[in-house]
Each structure stands twice: as structure tokens, then as C-alpha cells.
Amino acid sequence: MAKKRRPQTKAATPQAGDAPIPVVGAREPCPCGSGRRYKACHGRTASHAPAELVRRPFEGLPGEADWVALRELVPAATVELKLKDGLPEGVPSVTLATVLPMAWPALRRDSGAVLLGLQNDTPTGDLSRDLAVTLQRALAAEPGTPVTAERTGAEGPRLQDLLDPAAPFEPVVHTGFEFWVENAENATGEVAASLERANAAAIPTVRLSGVDAAYWCRTPQKNHLRWVMTHPEEQLLDALARLHVAGGTSLGEGTRLVGSFRAHGLIVPVWDLPGDVEAEDVEKPAAAFAERLATALADDTPLTAEERRARGGLTSRQVTLN
């Protein structure tokens, strides 16, 4: 069903001059003074500005699949980042976080440590460049200040230019957002209440230890396994189709491969799991599936008619996240 369009009047026309319009939250009043929300005013122009989309913004970084998972699937996680040129003076650490309070793009703590938020809207088609520019701004910010949203140009470094390519990417998945606050156990008042609200909304998530970038999560209806894979899309879909026909996609009794996401150029197969299946219960089945998948990926014979139908079913249930 088509959305109803709000009638527009002359009073709603932006009244900006030549001065640049700062970026604000999508639902906040537009700084141009039109009286409309930013997303319906100058935010609309920004969102429709032509931008070349970088299909795999994290390609070439260690842990590309985990970058995608933390961007799209995991509520609360952090990763210590290492810079190519080392940390600047006065910056004891740089930490990637799935999300920061108030949806800040980044935060410079009182201690000088930097937190870089991953799950934010970005102004261009290159997520890696947007994050790198935000990181640079955070490194230069005064201690104790958040880094607010800002337009990013087509120039500037990318994460691949700033981060140490030899450093491991090791996500730590949290049960809540206590990493927002130093000494969170002593938080009181509104800070404690905000943490409690955020934690209540977080979906319990666990990263499997035996395979790469596979995340178990619990939802009210059932549990899921969402597994980000770096194999070429066409080859992976062929392999999944072969396994489906052969009965090889199961992760145990009551489990089912139900489809996949496409996110930042990678495919994310998704399994439904019974509500009593915990993360540790799928460690061995996931490792066994990885071996079957490797065999199927190496098979380059043409798909059978049944396998082509299975592949079509997988494709029809695919959802693009970005």
C-alpha cells in the first residue's frame, strides 16, 4: 500500500540562505528554520544526494564478516582497534562500539580514550570513509566531549588507511551497554535508568567460538543463528542449494535454514532454532556444517533441476539490509 503524502504548503518551504545547514537528528527541527523535521527538509536533500555506493566497505580489513555483523546484527559489542601509526599522545585506547548513547558517532572520554560508534547513519555511500573521518575527528576532540554528526566529503582516508592490517579483530559481545559509562556499576539516577532501559531492549546475543562470524540470538518467539560469510554470493547460494537438497543444512533437530540477509556485499544465512537451543548447543553442529559447506563450495558441476529450485527459494527469501 502506498504511503499517504502530507500536503505541502509555502510555509513549509526551507528558508535557508547560502550558509551551510548543520546535520541534526532526523526527527529534530531543521536548522534552516522551515519548521519541518530535518528528514523532511534538508535531510531529504542529503539523503537523496548522489553517492557512489561502496558495496563492500570493510573489504580488506581483518574480520570483515564481524564488521558486518556488528554493524547490522549485534546489539552490544566492542572491539579494541589498533592504528597503523600508533595512538596519538593523550589517547590511551580506541574502541569500536556497536552503538553509543544518544546515537553519537563517536565519543572522547574524560580519560582521552576514544569510542567509535558503528551503527549510525552515514552521509555518503562509503561507510569506511565516513567512519574514518569520524575517527579522526574523535582523536582531535577535547576529552569529555561527544563527536556529533557532520557531512563527509568524497575525500579523506578510509578505515583501511588508518587501521593496522596486522591487528586481530576480536569482538567482545556484551549483555548490556555498561561499556558506555566508566565505573558503570556505580551509576545512579538518570544514568542508571538510561542503562536499564537500553539493556532491556537488547536482544541476547552470543558469538560462536568454533566458526567465524556466527552469532546466536534469542527472540521472544524462537532463537536464531545468523552467520556472516565472505564467500562469493553466487558460489555460496549454489552451495547452500546443493546442501539443502541433500539434507545437509540442518544444525540439529528442529533447526531450519530459513533464508538469508545481504549486508555490505556479504551473505548472511539465517537458521531458526528451537527456543531451548542455546549457543553452546550449536557449536559442534555449526563446525560440522562448515565442513559440509566447504565441500559443496568446491563442487563446480551444474546444478540439478531440484537444486535450481532450491536456489530460487533461497534467493526469494533473501532480504537486503543496506
Side-chain angles (χ1 to χ4, degrees), residues 49-76:
E52 183 179 353
L53 178 65
V54 176
R55 184 168 175 266
R56 289 179 62 173
F58 306 119
E59 187 174 17
L61 290 172
E64 178 188 6
D66 282 306
W67 276 92
V68 172
L70 268 57
R71 165 73 181 184
E72 301 294 343
L73 306 174
V74 181

PDB file of all heavy atoms in Angstrom, residues 49-76:
ATOM      1  N   ALA A  49      21.121  12.787  -2.158  1.00  0.00           N
ATOM      2  CA  ALA A  49      22.288  13.252  -2.911  1.00  0.00           C
ATOM      3  C   ALA A  49      22.976  12.071  -3.574  1.00  0.00           C
ATOM      4  O   ALA A  49      23.092  10.998  -2.980  1.00  0.00           O
ATOM      5  CB  ALA A  49      23.266  13.952  -1.961  1.00  0.00           C
ATOM      6  N   PRO A  50      23.393  12.242  -4.815  1.00  0.00           N
ATOM      7  CA  PRO A  50      24.042  11.129  -5.492  1.00  0.00           C
ATOM      8  C   PRO A  50      25.343  10.759  -4.796  1.00  0.00           C
ATOM      9  O   PRO A  50      26.145  11.611  -4.447  1.00  0.00           O
ATOM     10  CB  PRO A  50      24.304  11.670  -6.909  1.00  0.00           C
ATOM     11  CG  PRO A  50      24.298  13.163  -6.757  1.00  0.00           C
ATOM     12  CD  PRO A  50      23.334  13.457  -5.660  1.00  0.00           C
ATOM     13  N   ALA A  51      25.527   9.478  -4.562  1.00  0.00           N
ATOM     14  CA  ALA A  51      26.744   8.992  -3.917  1.00  0.00           C
ATOM     15  C   ALA A  51      27.053   7.610  -4.462  1.00  0.00           C
ATOM     16  O   ALA A  51      26.156   6.784  -4.615  1.00  0.00           O
ATOM     17  CB  ALA A  51      26.558   8.922  -2.391  1.00  0.00           C
ATOM     18  N   GLU A  52      28.305   7.399  -4.761  1.00  0.00           N
ATOM     19  CA  GLU A  52      28.714   6.095  -5.258  1.00  0.00           C
ATOM     20  C   GLU A  52      28.770   5.123  -4.089  1.00  0.00           C
ATOM     21  O   GLU A  52      29.506   5.324  -3.125  1.00  0.00           O
ATOM     22  CB  GLU A  52      30.081   6.204  -5.930  1.00  0.00           C
ATOM     23  CG  GLU A  52      30.537   4.885  -6.535  1.00  0.00           C
ATOM     24  CD  GLU A  52      31.885   5.018  -7.219  1.00  0.00           C
ATOM     25  OE1 GLU A  52      32.373   6.161  -7.326  1.00  0.00           O
ATOM     26  OE2 GLU A  52      32.435   3.983  -7.634  1.00  0.00           O
ATOM     27  N   LEU A  53      27.975   4.065  -4.153  1.00  0.00           N
ATOM     28  CA  LEU A  53      27.906   3.109  -3.065  1.00  0.00           C
ATOM     29  C   LEU A  53      29.072   2.139  -3.136  1.00  0.00           C
ATOM     30  O   LEU A  53      29.302   1.500  -4.164  1.00  0.00           O
ATOM     31  CB  LEU A  53      26.586   2.328  -3.136  1.00  0.00           C
ATOM     32  CG  LEU A  53      26.406   1.242  -2.065  1.00  0.00           C
ATOM     33  CD1 LEU A  53      26.323   1.875  -0.676  1.00  0.00           C
ATOM     34  CD2 LEU A  53      25.160   0.412  -2.346  1.00  0.00           C
ATOM     35  N   VAL A  54      29.812   2.058  -2.049  1.00  0.00           N
ATOM     36  CA  VAL A  54      30.874   1.064  -1.934  1.00  0.00           C
ATOM     37  C   VAL A  54      30.228  -0.215  -1.424  1.00  0.00           C
ATOM     38  O   VAL A  54      29.750  -0.270  -0.293  1.00  0.00           O
ATOM     39  CB  VAL A  54      31.984   1.549  -0.984  1.00  0.00           C
ATOM     40  CG1 VAL A  54      33.040   0.463  -0.792  1.00  0.00           C
ATOM     41  CG2 VAL A  54      32.624   2.813  -1.530  1.00  0.00           C
ATOM     42  N   ARG A  55      30.195  -1.226  -2.259  1.00  0.00           N
ATOM     43  CA  ARG A  55      29.423  -2.431  -1.959  1.00  0.00           C
ATOM     44  C   ARG A  55      29.974  -3.189  -0.760  1.00  0.00           C
ATOM     45  O   ARG A  55      29.212  -3.713   0.050  1.00  0.00           O
ATOM     46  CB  ARG A  55      29.411  -3.334  -3.197  1.00  0.00           C
ATOM     47  CG  ARG A  55      28.559  -4.576  -3.066  1.00  0.00           C
ATOM     48  CD  ARG A  55      28.373  -5.261  -4.417  1.00  0.00           C
ATOM     49  NE  ARG A  55      27.657  -6.521  -4.286  1.00  0.00           N
ATOM     50  CZ  ARG A  55      28.248  -7.699  -4.163  1.00  0.00           C
ATOM     51  NH1 ARG A  55      29.578  -7.763  -4.153  1.00  0.00           N
ATOM     52  NH2 ARG A  55      27.542  -8.808  -4.030  1.00  0.00           N
ATOM     53  N   ARG A  56      31.294  -3.262  -0.651  1.00  0.00           N
ATOM     54  CA  ARG A  56      31.910  -3.958   0.486  1.00  0.00           C
ATOM     55  C   ARG A  56      32.851  -2.986   1.201  1.00  0.00           C
ATOM     56  O   ARG A  56      34.062  -2.996   1.018  1.00  0.00           O
ATOM     57  CB  ARG A  56      32.662  -5.205   0.010  1.00  0.00           C
ATOM     58  CG  ARG A  56      31.761  -6.317  -0.457  1.00  0.00           C
ATOM     59  CD  ARG A  56      32.540  -7.533  -0.953  1.00  0.00           C
ATOM     60  NE  ARG A  56      33.359  -8.156   0.072  1.00  0.00           N
ATOM     61  CZ  ARG A  56      34.023  -9.302  -0.105  1.00  0.00           C
ATOM     62  NH1 ARG A  56      33.962  -9.928  -1.270  1.00  0.00           N
ATOM     63  NH2 ARG A  56      34.749  -9.821   0.882  1.00  0.00           N
ATOM     64  N   PRO A  57      32.301  -2.123   2.053  1.00  0.00           N
ATOM     65  CA  PRO A  57      33.126  -1.071   2.674  1.00  0.00           C
ATOM     66  C   PRO A  57      34.204  -1.601   3.603  1.00  0.00           C
ATOM     67  O   PRO A  57      35.204  -0.914   3.841  1.00  0.00           O
ATOM     68  CB  PRO A  57      32.101  -0.239   3.441  1.00  0.00           C
ATOM     69  CG  PRO A  57      30.957  -1.177   3.693  1.00  0.00           C
ATOM     70  CD  PRO A  57      30.897  -2.052   2.484  1.00  0.00           C
ATOM     71  N   PHE A  58      34.031  -2.818   4.139  1.00  0.00           N
ATOM     72  CA  PHE A  58      35.002  -3.353   5.094  1.00  0.00           C
ATOM     73  C   PHE A  58      35.966  -4.343   4.446  1.00  0.00           C
ATOM     74  O   PHE A  58      36.771  -4.971   5.144  1.00  0.00           O
ATOM     75  CB  PHE A  58      34.275  -4.023   6.256  1.00  0.00           C
ATOM     76  CG  PHE A  58      33.274  -3.130   6.930  1.00  0.00           C
ATOM     77  CD1 PHE A  58      31.925  -3.470   6.957  1.00  0.00           C
ATOM     78  CD2 PHE A  58      33.654  -1.940   7.514  1.00  0.00           C
ATOM     79  CE1 PHE A  58      30.996  -2.641   7.564  1.00  0.00           C
ATOM     80  CE2 PHE A  58      32.742  -1.103   8.130  1.00  0.00           C
ATOM     81  CZ  PHE A  58      31.400  -1.463   8.156  1.00  0.00           C
ATOM     82  N   GLU A  59      35.896  -4.490   3.124  1.00  0.00           N
ATOM     83  CA  GLU A  59      36.778  -5.422   2.428  1.00  0.00           C
ATOM     84  C   GLU A  59      38.229  -5.008   2.642  1.00  0.00           C
ATOM     85  O   GLU A  59      38.593  -3.838   2.547  1.00  0.00           O
ATOM     86  CB  GLU A  59      36.453  -5.430   0.937  1.00  0.00           C
ATOM     87  CG  GLU A  59      37.202  -6.488   0.151  1.00  0.00           C
ATOM     88  CD  GLU A  59      36.752  -6.560  -1.291  1.00  0.00           C
ATOM     89  OE1 GLU A  59      36.098  -5.595  -1.762  1.00  0.00           O
ATOM     90  OE2 GLU A  59      37.035  -7.578  -1.957  1.00  0.00           O
ATOM     91  N   GLY A  60      39.061  -5.995   2.940  1.00  0.00           N
ATOM     92  CA  GLY A  60      40.475  -5.730   3.178  1.00  0.00           C
ATOM     93  C   GLY A  60      40.822  -5.528   4.639  1.00  0.00           C
ATOM     94  O   GLY A  60      42.002  -5.546   5.002  1.00  0.00           O
ATOM     95  N   LEU A  61      39.817  -5.329   5.488  1.00  0.00           N
ATOM     96  CA  LEU A  61      40.058  -5.211   6.922  1.00  0.00           C
ATOM     97  C   LEU A  61      40.037  -6.597   7.558  1.00  0.00           C
ATOM     98  O   LEU A  61      39.248  -7.454   7.156  1.00  0.00           O
ATOM     99  CB  LEU A  61      38.979  -4.351   7.584  1.00  0.00           C
ATOM    100  CG  LEU A  61      38.976  -2.861   7.266  1.00  0.00           C
ATOM    101  CD1 LEU A  61      37.727  -2.211   7.854  1.00  0.00           C
ATOM    102  CD2 LEU A  61      40.232  -2.178   7.787  1.00  0.00           C
ATOM    103  N   PRO A  62      40.880  -6.859   8.558  1.00  0.00           N
ATOM    104  CA  PRO A  62      40.747  -8.109   9.307  1.00  0.00           C
ATOM    105  C   PRO A  62      39.339  -8.202   9.905  1.00  0.00           C
ATOM    106  O   PRO A  62      38.810  -7.217  10.425  1.00  0.00           O
ATOM    107  CB  PRO A  62      41.814  -7.979  10.411  1.00  0.00           C
ATOM    108  CG  PRO A  62      42.795  -6.976   9.888  1.00  0.00           C
ATOM    109  CD  PRO A  62      41.994  -6.018   9.050  1.00  0.00           C
ATOM    110  N   GLY A  63      38.732  -9.387   9.800  1.00  0.00           N
ATOM    111  CA  GLY A  63      37.413  -9.575  10.393  1.00  0.00           C
ATOM    112  C   GLY A  63      36.288  -8.901   9.640  1.00  0.00           C
ATOM    113  O   GLY A  63      35.333  -8.431  10.261  1.00  0.00           O
ATOM    114  N   GLU A  64      36.368  -8.858   8.309  1.00  0.00           N
ATOM    115  CA  GLU A  64      35.318  -8.179   7.532  1.00  0.00           C
ATOM    116  C   GLU A  64      33.924  -8.674   7.913  1.00  0.00           C
ATOM    117  O   GLU A  64      32.994  -7.881   8.082  1.00  0.00           O
ATOM    118  CB  GLU A  64      35.544  -8.398   6.028  1.00  0.00           C
ATOM    119  CG  GLU A  64      34.462  -7.752   5.168  1.00  0.00           C
ATOM    120  CD  GLU A  64      34.548  -8.118   3.692  1.00  0.00           C
ATOM    121  OE1 GLU A  64      35.403  -8.979   3.331  1.00  0.00           O
ATOM    122  OE2 GLU A  64      33.777  -7.563   2.887  1.00  0.00           O
ATOM    123  N   ALA A  65      33.765  -9.993   8.047  1.00  0.00           N
ATOM    124  CA  ALA A  65      32.444 -10.543   8.360  1.00  0.00           C
ATOM    125  C   ALA A  65      31.949 -10.066   9.727  1.00  0.00           C
ATOM    126  O   ALA A  65      30.756  -9.791   9.911  1.00  0.00           O
ATOM    127  CB  ALA A  65      32.483 -12.072   8.312  1.00  0.00           C
ATOM    128  N   ASP A  66      32.861  -9.950  10.692  1.00  0.00           N
ATOM    129  CA  ASP A  66      32.456  -9.466  12.012  1.00  0.00           C
ATOM    130  C   ASP A  66      32.124  -7.980  11.983  1.00  0.00           C
ATOM    131  O   ASP A  66      31.237  -7.524  12.718  1.00  0.00           O
ATOM    132  CB  ASP A  66      33.550  -9.755  13.044  1.00  0.00           C
ATOM    133  CG  ASP A  66      33.550 -11.202  13.501  1.00  0.00           C
ATOM    134  OD1 ASP A  66      32.503 -11.682  13.943  1.00  0.00           O
ATOM    135  OD2 ASP A  66      34.609 -11.853  13.401  1.00  0.00           O
ATOM    136  N   TRP A  67      32.833  -7.199  11.159  1.00  0.00           N
ATOM    137  CA  TRP A  67      32.452  -5.790  10.989  1.00  0.00           C
ATOM    138  C   TRP A  67      30.995  -5.697  10.540  1.00  0.00           C
ATOM    139  O   TRP A  67      30.217  -4.885  11.063  1.00  0.00           O
ATOM    140  CB  TRP A  67      33.352  -5.122   9.952  1.00  0.00           C
ATOM    141  CG  TRP A  67      34.667  -4.614  10.445  1.00  0.00           C
ATOM    142  CD1 TRP A  67      35.854  -5.290  10.450  1.00  0.00           C
ATOM    143  CD2 TRP A  67      34.950  -3.319  10.994  1.00  0.00           C
ATOM    144  NE1 TRP A  67      36.855  -4.498  10.971  1.00  0.00           N
ATOM    145  CE2 TRP A  67      36.339  -3.281  11.297  1.00  0.00           C
ATOM    146  CE3 TRP A  67      34.176  -2.193  11.239  1.00  0.00           C
ATOM    147  CZ2 TRP A  67      36.950  -2.155  11.848  1.00  0.00           C
ATOM    148  CZ3 TRP A  67      34.796  -1.062  11.787  1.00  0.00           C
ATOM    149  CH2 TRP A  67      36.157  -1.050  12.088  1.00  0.00           C
ATOM    150  N   VAL A  68      30.621  -6.526   9.566  1.00  0.00           N
ATOM    151  CA  VAL A  68      29.244  -6.516   9.059  1.00  0.00           C
ATOM    152  C   VAL A  68      28.271  -6.938  10.152  1.00  0.00           C
ATOM    153  O   VAL A  68      27.209  -6.322  10.336  1.00  0.00           O
ATOM    154  CB  VAL A  68      29.122  -7.422   7.829  1.00  0.00           C
ATOM    155  CG1 VAL A  68      27.650  -7.579   7.414  1.00  0.00           C
ATOM    156  CG2 VAL A  68      29.934  -6.860   6.666  1.00  0.00           C
ATOM    157  N   ALA A  69      28.617  -7.975  10.895  1.00  0.00           N
ATOM    158  CA  ALA A  69      27.727  -8.452  11.956  1.00  0.00           C
ATOM    159  C   ALA A  69      27.503  -7.377  13.017  1.00  0.00           C
ATOM    160  O   ALA A  69      26.368  -7.144  13.465  1.00  0.00           O
ATOM    161  CB  ALA A  69      28.307  -9.713  12.598  1.00  0.00           C
ATOM    162  N   LEU A  70      28.579  -6.701  13.424  1.00  0.00           N
ATOM    163  CA  LEU A  70      28.443  -5.666  14.452  1.00  0.00           C
ATOM    164  C   LEU A  70      27.684  -4.453  13.927  1.00  0.00           C
ATOM    165  O   LEU A  70      26.993  -3.773  14.691  1.00  0.00           O
ATOM    166  CB  LEU A  70      29.820  -5.250  14.967  1.00  0.00           C
ATOM    167  CG  LEU A  70      30.340  -6.008  16.191  1.00  0.00           C
ATOM    168  CD1 LEU A  70      30.393  -7.501  15.966  1.00  0.00           C
ATOM    169  CD2 LEU A  70      31.723  -5.494  16.595  1.00  0.00           C
ATOM    170  N   ARG A  71      27.800  -4.192  12.648  1.00  0.00           N
ATOM    171  CA  ARG A  71      27.068  -3.069  12.056  1.00  0.00           C
ATOM    172  C   ARG A  71      25.572  -3.357  11.980  1.00  0.00           C
ATOM    173  O   ARG A  71      24.742  -2.475  12.209  1.00  0.00           O
ATOM    174  CB  ARG A  71      27.634  -2.789  10.661  1.00  0.00           C
ATOM    175  CG  ARG A  71      26.786  -1.899   9.764  1.00  0.00           C
ATOM    176  CD  ARG A  71      26.803  -0.445  10.159  1.00  0.00           C
ATOM    177  NE  ARG A  71      25.947   0.339   9.275  1.00  0.00           N
ATOM    178  CZ  ARG A  71      25.815   1.648   9.313  1.00  0.00           C
ATOM    179  NH1 ARG A  71      26.483   2.349  10.199  1.00  0.00           N
ATOM    180  NH2 ARG A  71      25.013   2.287   8.486  1.00  0.00           N
ATOM    181  N   GLU A  72      25.182  -4.599  11.656  1.00  0.00           N
ATOM    182  CA  GLU A  72      23.792  -4.883  11.311  1.00  0.00           C
ATOM    183  C   GLU A  72      23.047  -5.799  12.274  1.00  0.00           C
ATOM    184  O   GLU A  72      21.824  -5.759  12.317  1.00  0.00           O
ATOM    185  CB  GLU A  72      23.724  -5.512   9.912  1.00  0.00           C
ATOM    186  CG  GLU A  72      24.299  -4.646   8.804  1.00  0.00           C
ATOM    187  CD  GLU A  72      23.492  -3.382   8.565  1.00  0.00           C
ATOM    188  OE1 GLU A  72      22.320  -3.310   9.011  1.00  0.00           O
ATOM    189  OE2 GLU A  72      24.028  -2.446   7.934  1.00  0.00           O
ATOM    190  N   LEU A  73      23.745  -6.634  13.040  1.00  0.00           N
ATOM    191  CA  LEU A  73      23.058  -7.719  13.740  1.00  0.00           C
ATOM    192  C   LEU A  73      23.214  -7.723  15.252  1.00  0.00           C
ATOM    193  O   LEU A  73      22.337  -8.223  15.953  1.00  0.00           O
ATOM    194  CB  LEU A  73      23.564  -9.072  13.212  1.00  0.00           C
ATOM    195  CG  LEU A  73      23.493  -9.298  11.701  1.00  0.00           C
ATOM    196  CD1 LEU A  73      24.169 -10.615  11.344  1.00  0.00           C
ATOM    197  CD2 LEU A  73      22.050  -9.285  11.222  1.00  0.00           C
ATOM    198  N   VAL A  74      24.317  -7.214  15.764  1.00  0.00           N
ATOM    199  CA  VAL A  74      24.660  -7.384  17.178  1.00  0.00           C
ATOM    200  C   VAL A  74      24.313  -6.121  17.953  1.00  0.00           C
ATOM    201  O   VAL A  74      24.756  -5.032  17.588  1.00  0.00           O
ATOM    202  CB  VAL A  74      26.163  -7.710  17.335  1.00  0.00           C
ATOM    203  CG1 VAL A  74      26.513  -7.911  18.802  1.00  0.00           C
ATOM    204  CG2 VAL A  74      26.526  -8.953  16.517  1.00  0.00           C
ATOM    205  N   PRO A  75      23.532  -6.230  19.033  1.00  0.00           N
ATOM    206  CA  PRO A  75      23.141  -5.023  19.772  1.00  0.00           C
ATOM    207  C   PRO A  75      24.292  -4.362  20.529  1.00  0.00           C
ATOM    208  O   PRO A  75      24.476  -3.151  20.450  1.00  0.00           O
ATOM    209  CB  PRO A  75      22.072  -5.529  20.758  1.00  0.00           C
ATOM    210  CG  PRO A  75      21.669  -6.878  20.259  1.00  0.00           C
ATOM    211  CD  PRO A  75      22.845  -7.438  19.535  1.00  0.00           C
ATOM    212  N   ALA A  76      25.048  -5.152  21.276  1.00  0.00           N
ATOM    213  CA  ALA A  76      26.045  -4.565  22.184  1.00  0.00           C
ATOM    214  C   ALA A  76      27.358  -5.328  22.067  1.00  0.00           C
ATOM    215  O   ALA A  76      27.454  -6.484  22.475  1.00  0.00           O
ATOM    216  CB  ALA A  76      25.539  -4.599  23.620  1.00  0.00           C
TER     217      ALA A  76
END
